[in-house]
Amino acid sequence: MRARSAVRAVPRRAPARAGFTLFELLVAFSILSVIVSVSGGLLVRHKRLLASARHQRIAVEELANQMDRLMALDRGAREAFLAAPEPSSFAAARLPGATLAAVVDPPAGALGRRIVLSIEWEEPGRRGRPLRLAGWLHDVPGEAAP
């Protein structure tokens, strides 16, 4: 008789998984939701910052242009402008609710008069904090003082 050989039991491997478990899908969806919500908030803030920077650039250019214009005007036109300053149509169209103001100090001897132009517009956090530009207006000899 022949001796029987011992048959060893070979452990069976678990079948390979073909998909994801529900728990894995929930975790992935949760992480994705957090990323999308944070990204959305950042994109909105970025858009507001870009608009604010654009408005500020326009306002600074408007102040510089108005000051140059003011320096080039004759005395009568200058005094009329200083009495009721208005922003240009370009700035008024691009800066919501833009208002321009001018403050003129009395003459300070040889230095002339100090003029401060300021501009304000409707923007969250901007009201009450105008941009200002100061300049000196030297009176031309022969012109009558106001």
Side-chain angles (χ1 to χ4, degrees):
M1 280 210 188
R2 230 169 94 148
R4 276 187 138 180
S5 61
V7 179
R8 289 171 80 190
V10 178
R12 287 190 162 193
R13 288 186 168 178
R17 293 187 323 175
F20 299 103
T21 65
L22 182 59
F23 181 72
E24 290 171 334
L25 289 175
L26 285 174
V27 168
F29 182 72
S30 299
I31 291 171
L32 183 64
S33 299
V34 168
I35 290 171
V36 167
S37 65
V38 169
S39 300
L42 290 175
L43 288 174
V44 168
R45 176 133 173 94
H46 178 68
K47 182 180 175 183
R48 286 182 188 156
L49 286 173
L50 286 178
S52 178
R54 183 175 46 250
H55 288 158
Q56 188 157 346
R57 274 195 317 271
I58 291 170
V60 167
E61 290 297 324
E62 174 70 7
L63 287 175
N65 290 341
Q66 291 289 358
M67 186 65 78
D68 287 344
R69 178 175 166 247
L70 183 64
M71 297 300 171
L73 293 175
D74 64 346
R75 182 173 288 272
R78 186 183 314 137
E79 296 305 324
F81 173 80
L82 291 173
E86 290 288 325
S88 67
S89 59
F90 180 84
R94 285 162 179 78
L95 297 175
T99 57
L100 189 66
V103 175
V104 182
D105 293 341
L111 294 176
R113 295 185 295 167
R114 181 174 180 250
I115 298 175
V116 179
L117 294 178
S118 61
I119 190 167
E120 248 184 315
W121 64 95
E122 294 290 335
E123 187 173 278
R126 173 55 62 185
R127 270 298 172 197
R129 293 179 29 216
L131 288 179
R132 292 185 179 99
L133 177 68
W136 290 94
L137 182 62
H138 302 285
D139 292 326
V140 178
E143 282 189 357

